[in-house]
Amino acid sequence: MSDPLLVVKNLKTWLGSSTTPAKAVDGVSFSINKGETLCLLGESGCGKSMSALSLMRLLPPSGRIVEGQVNFNGNNLLDLPENAMRKIRGGKIGMIFQEPMTSLNPVMTIGDQISEAIKLHDPQGRKNIKARLIELLQQVGIPDPESRIKAWPHQLSGGMKQRIMIAMTLAGRPDFLIADEPTTALDVTIQAQVLKLLKQIQQKTGMAILLITHDLGVVAEVADRVMVMYAGEIIESATKKDFFNHPVHPYSRALFSSLPSDHKRGSRLAVIEGSVPPLTNIFKGCRFAERCQKQQDQCHTQIPPWNNAGYRCFYPEQDHPLEHLSNTPVSPIESKEESEITLDVEHLKVHFPIYKGVFRRVVGHIKAVDGVSLKIPKGKTVALVGESGCGKTTAGKGILQLEKPTSGKILFKQQNIAHFSAKDLKKMRKEMQVVFQDPVSSMNPRMLVGQIIAEGLIAQKMVKNRQQRDQKVAELLTQVGLSKEAADRYPHEFSGGQRQRICIARALAVEPQLIICDEPTSALDVSVQAQVLNLLADLQRDFGLSYLFITHDLSVVSYLAYEVAVMYLGQIVEYGRTDEILNHPQHPYTQALLSAVLQVDPAKRQQQIILAGDMPSPANPPSGCYFHPRCPQATADCQQNKPPFVQISNSHYAHCHLL
């Protein structure tokens, strides 16, 4: 057997002051062979990304490697001078970052940015840069590469931008690729395409991949081996098969228990109480002990050594394989007629004018939402799913009147609010609230948490004095599982899950009946996601809240949603009860979405339906069925005529010629 391509020994990376450093990477050791994919799994803040940056020697100013070796192709990278490291970085070792938009230069064309990498790291490609450019774009599956090299980053979709990042990385013909959460912000269809692309390139070139993620579905799809990281150290290492059949560390098993799925409907998700401990701590025992259900006195006083079987734990789960599968049926769902309807949207359209010329003539419209209809019963959740750019968020904003609808009805409590005056809308605002995807950008960083939560109370004149306000804020913080002392702290002092709880408390402050949740869990770890989903389910049960849940995570849909609306290019293409949509999808687009979901359970995996190209522009939608340019089953009828409304059952319908 050949020597490993990369060997890391006892790597330690510290951040901050020398007296109380944050030990972000604390004695990490591993190896990777050529052609192998090693997945590094763990929660945010556990040190995954800092481990990758240490390998590349791209640490922040306060960071320093205090100990260890990083042997790559027989050379210790930590001993190399910076000029030698620059030749390896971006050449023999490439890196793909989580957010492609922040990694691409917005004032340079795609061709210029990839050309830079070719000039620096590919002597062979320098002889004919344009030919090498086109070859790279073809390699990553970019259509019409000759025109794309002149495009700017903002002209490309999220999946396209991530493909461009991969092309830039491949320009140096790397032997080793680090992919840091490369699919976290992508839709399921684009995520599946990117992961398949990486696998194909790996098979062709034999490069090794270190893939950093917190998504167990991604690990199940691409890993050869898995390492679990917690609070700066590796706590478990195993082959993919062993890890998914029988994880032994309590933390690993808790991650599986936190996953939402259809068989957990109606019950609470298992959560890992607490959070990752501060890395400035001086640990005297197991770092997971405070959150572990199997903890003993020994766990708090002794540091568990690394076991040759591949874990760091005094009390591993050695007897029972993981039972993350269940035959428990989906909870029965009562008929919609039994519930009062909170929201009834009929033929909602939100079109944005396109202006041109000095006189700003209207030359067309962007049809972001083009005839959406849905109903949300009291105390129920309707999920709105689809790819980025399909109009999900705009539909939510249209319902809330944050974007003025072009036409249609929005019946809330049997009143059409689509054309309410500003004065009437202000009164109605307290009944309809929103929780955004990114809690950081949706809160004022200069305001205390108590002030943020109290804004709605003051605006709606729901409290008479400061004492009432403070009492109400304390009650709301308790409701969402935070201490009342949190009111006197700033948003940056909280974790991601805690910040999302604060946003939920702010939405609850004015006692709404409808909450629009716009991707509220997409950026969260599975353990934190479970806490937020439990909270939303509890609040719905206790207060009879109705949710419009905008998401592209179908595992969350299967757990929380009562009905599902599948959206494509501004239109609902299929609508039905959750079990009908997930178990018996009828529209080809729904079938493609479901086939792209990465399953932890191998028995549930299915052949992926590959969709050609990207979603068309809503400014110039195709004729006939909007989906026909990408549909593998499209006919001539689909190209020419609008699809008919097809009733499949009392609660299930689709718009499709094939039905």
Side-chain angles (χ1 to χ4, degrees):
M1 185 175 177
S2 60
D3 293 333
L5 177 69
L6 179 82
V7 179
V8 178
K9 295 180 180 177
N10 198 34
L11 180 64
K12 295 185 179 182
T13 301
W14 295 0
L15 303 171
S17 69
S18 56
T19 52
T20 56
K23 299 178 180 179
V25 184
D26 199 14
V28 166
S29 300
F30 62 90
S31 63
I32 303 178
N33 297 314
K34 291 181 179 178
E36 182 181 39
T37 300
L38 175 63
C39 282
L40 187 56
L41 177 70
E43 290 177 277
S44 297
C46 71
K48 306 187 302 295
S49 294
M50 200 54 64
S51 298
L53 294 173
S54 299
L55 303 183
M56 297 287 280
R57 285 173 51 185
L58 287 174
L59 296 173
S62 66
R64 57 204 178 276
I65 297 172
V66 298
E67 193 176 328
Q69 294 182 355
V70 180
N71 293 310
F72 176 70
N73 271 335
N75 297 314
N76 185 4
L77 299 183
L78 305 185
D79 292 338
L80 294 179
E82 179 58 23
N83 62 347
M85 191 64 203
R86 284 177 186 165
K87 293 178 182 177
I88 293 176
R89 193 189 296 131
K92 291 302 178 184
I93 302 179
M95 187 165 183
I96 304 170
F97 295 94
Q98 179 173 350
E99 180 46 68
M101 196 60 222
T102 57
S103 306
L104 293 171
N105 190 329
V107 296
M108 290 178 67
T109 65
I110 296 306
D112 288 342
Q113 295 189 59
I114 302 175
S115 296
E116 277 191 331
I118 296 171
K119 292 171 187 175
L120 283 170
H121 300 294
D122 186 9
Q124 188 179 339
R126 285 179 210 149
K127 298 170 186 175
N128 191 336
I129 289 178
K130 186 175 181 181
R132 176 63 175 153
L133 262 175
I134 292 171
E135 179 190 344
L136 285 167
L137 292 179
Q138 288 173 336
Q139 196 172 357
V140 298
I142 297 287
D144 192 14
E146 292 204 22
S147 65
R148 290 291 184 185
I149 60 177
K150 300 172 186 175
W152 303 89
H154 72 271
Q155 295 176 298
L156 305 178
S157 67
M160 284 277 201
K161 285 196 278 272
Q162 197 61 289
R163 287 167 181 261
I164 295 298
M165 283 300 304
I166 295 171
M168 289 174 66
T169 305
L170 294 177
R173 305 181 195 269
D175 295 327
F176 175 46
L177 174 66
I178 300 171
D180 187 2
E181 301 271 15
T183 62
T184 296
L186 302 181
D187 303 314
V188 287
T189 49
I190 306 300
Q191 174 180 258
Q193 290 173 17
V194 169
L195 293 176
K196 184 177 181 181
L197 172 64
L198 288 175
K199 270 293 184 188
Q200 289 172 341
I201 293 168
Q202 184 181 46
Q203 290 167 0
K204 189 179 293 186
T205 63
M207 69 180 178
I209 297 177
L210 174 64
L211 194 143
I212 296 168
T213 185
H214 63 253
D215 188 329
L216 285 161
V218 171
V219 176
E221 183 72 16
V222 301
D224 295 310
R225 285 191 297 124
V226 183
M227 290 191 310
V228 182
M229 194 168 189
Y230 185 81
E233 65 180 12
I234 305 299
I235 59 171
E236 184 168 1
S237 179
T239 64
K240 179 174 73 173
K241 181 179 178 181
D242 289 343
F243 181 72
F244 281 89
N245 288 336
H246 195 163
V248 295
H249 198 283
Y251 175 66
S252 304
R253 298 179 75 86
L255 288 177
F256 280 99
S257 299
S258 299
L259 291 174
S261 64
D262 56 3
H263 70 265
K264 295 178 183 177
R265 283 172 66 89
S267 60
R268 292 177 63 79
L269 295 171
V271 299
I272 309 173
E273 299 295 342
S275 57
V276 178
L279 298 179
T280 52
N281 286 3
I282 297 174
F283 296 101
K284 296 179 181 178
C286 173
R287 301 182 184 198
F288 185 59
E290 295 296 333
R291 307 173 71 191
C292 183
Q293 295 184 350
K294 298 185 70 175
Q295 60 176 293
Q296 304 288 335
D297 291 342
Q298 180 185 17
C299 303
H300 296 275
T301 57
Q302 298 179 37
I303 296 175
W306 182 258
N307 186 293
N308 289 333
Y311 58 86
R312 193 186 297 275
C313 183
F314 290 120
Y315 303 101
E317 184 59 75
Q318 295 178 317
D319 299 327
H320 304 291
L322 183 69
E323 296 178 359
H324 60 269
L325 312 180
S326 172
N327 295 320
T328 307
V330 174
S331 303
I333 301 172
E334 64 269 26
S335 169
K336 179 185 285 188
E337 286 71 28
E338 295 177 13
S339 297
E340 172 192 338
I341 302 299
T342 299
L343 180 75
D344 187 353
V345 179
E346 298 179 7
H347 308 296
L348 177 67
K349 294 186 179 183
V350 183
H351 295 177
F352 299 102
I354 302 171
Y355 299 103
K356 190 174 183 181
V358 176
F359 298 104
R360 293 179 58 78
R361 291 180 297 109
V362 176
V363 295
H365 287 86
I366 296 172
K367 298 177 181 179
V369 180
D370 198 24
V372 163
S373 298
L374 54 85
K375 293 182 181 181
I376 306 179
K378 182 178 175 61
K380 301 296 180 187
T381 300
V382 172
L384 189 58
V385 303
E387 294 172 282
S388 293
C390 73
K392 304 188 299 293
T393 296
T394 306
K397 288 181 177 179
I399 291 168
L400 291 169
Q401 307 289 290
L402 298 176
E403 297 286 359
K404 202 64 182 171
T406 306
S407 64
K409 291 183 179 179
I410 303 168
L411 299 172
F412 180 70
K413 295 171 64 176
Q414 299 181 339
Q415 297 182 75
N416 185 5
I417 65 171
H419 303 292
F420 266 27
S421 66
K423 183 179 178 181
D424 291 334
L425 268 178
K426 186 176 180 181
K427 295 176 184 176
M428 190 62 73
R429 290 276 183 228
K430 70 185 294 292
E431 306 281 352
M432 306 168 72
Q433 289 292 300
V434 62
V435 177
F436 294 102
Q437 177 175 356
D438 183 4
V440 177
S441 60
S442 64
M443 289 190 284
N444 189 330
R446 295 181 179 86
M447 291 175 68
L448 295 170
V449 164
Q451 294 172 324
I452 290 169
I453 295 173
E455 271 191 304
L457 296 171
I458 296 167
Q460 294 290 342
K461 299 179 181 177
M462 296 178 65
V463 288
K464 295 178 181 178
N465 52 48
R466 181 167 184 166
Q467 184 181 356
Q468 280 190 2
R469 184 192 72 188
D470 292 346
Q471 183 180 347
K472 182 65 175 176
V473 168
E475 289 174 5
L476 288 162
L477 287 169
T478 304
Q479 274 181 9
V480 299
L482 296 173
S483 69
K484 61 182 181 181
E485 287 76 20
D488 298 320
R489 295 162 62 188
Y490 289 94
H492 74 268
E493 299 179 68
F494 296 89
S495 68
Q498 289 172 324
R499 282 194 286 256
Q500 199 61 289
R501 286 169 181 262
I502 293 166
C503 290
I504 293 170
R506 176 176 59 183
L508 291 174
V510 291
E511 301 173 3
Q513 293 192 18
L514 171 71
I515 298 181
I516 294 182
C517 303
D518 189 1
E519 302 268 16
T521 63
S522 65
L524 303 180
D525 301 315
V526 288
S527 55
V528 179
Q529 174 182 261
Q531 294 173 16
V532 173
L533 291 177
N534 281 343
L535 173 61
L536 290 171
D538 290 345
L539 293 170
Q540 186 170 63
R541 184 186 62 247
D542 295 343
F543 300 106
L545 297 174
S546 301
Y547 297 140
L548 177 62
F549 204 96
I550 298 168
T551 186
H552 62 251
D553 188 336
L554 292 172
S555 64
V556 172
V557 171
S558 68
Y559 170 72
L560 194 64
Y562 161 71
E563 289 184 326
V564 182
V566 183
M567 195 169 181
Y568 185 82
L569 203 62
Q571 300 182 338
I572 302 294
V573 296
E574 187 166 1
Y575 194 106
R577 291 202 318 262
T578 302
D579 57 331
E580 292 173 324
I581 296 292
L582 298 186
N583 298 330
H584 306 287
Q586 299 296 310
H587 196 282
Y589 178 62
T590 310
Q591 293 167 358
L593 273 184
L594 292 171
S595 76
V597 176
L598 302 179
Q599 298 284 355
V600 172
D601 176 10
K604 290 186 177 180
R605 289 180 202 159
Q606 52 184 302
Q607 183 68 34
Q608 188 192 351
I609 300 170
I610 302 296
L611 297 180
D614 290 314
M615 190 181 298
S617 169
N620 185 26
S623 60
C625 173
Y626 285 179
F627 185 58
H628 87 258
R630 303 176 70 195
C631 181
Q633 304 175 53
T635 65
D637 200 18
C638 303
Q639 298 175 29
Q640 297 165 8
N641 302 311
K642 293 287 183 186
F645 173 90
V646 180
Q647 189 84 35
I648 299 154
S649 73
N650 288 337
S651 55
H652 189 187
Y653 69 82
H655 293 270
C656 184
H657 289 289
L658 302 174
L659 302 178

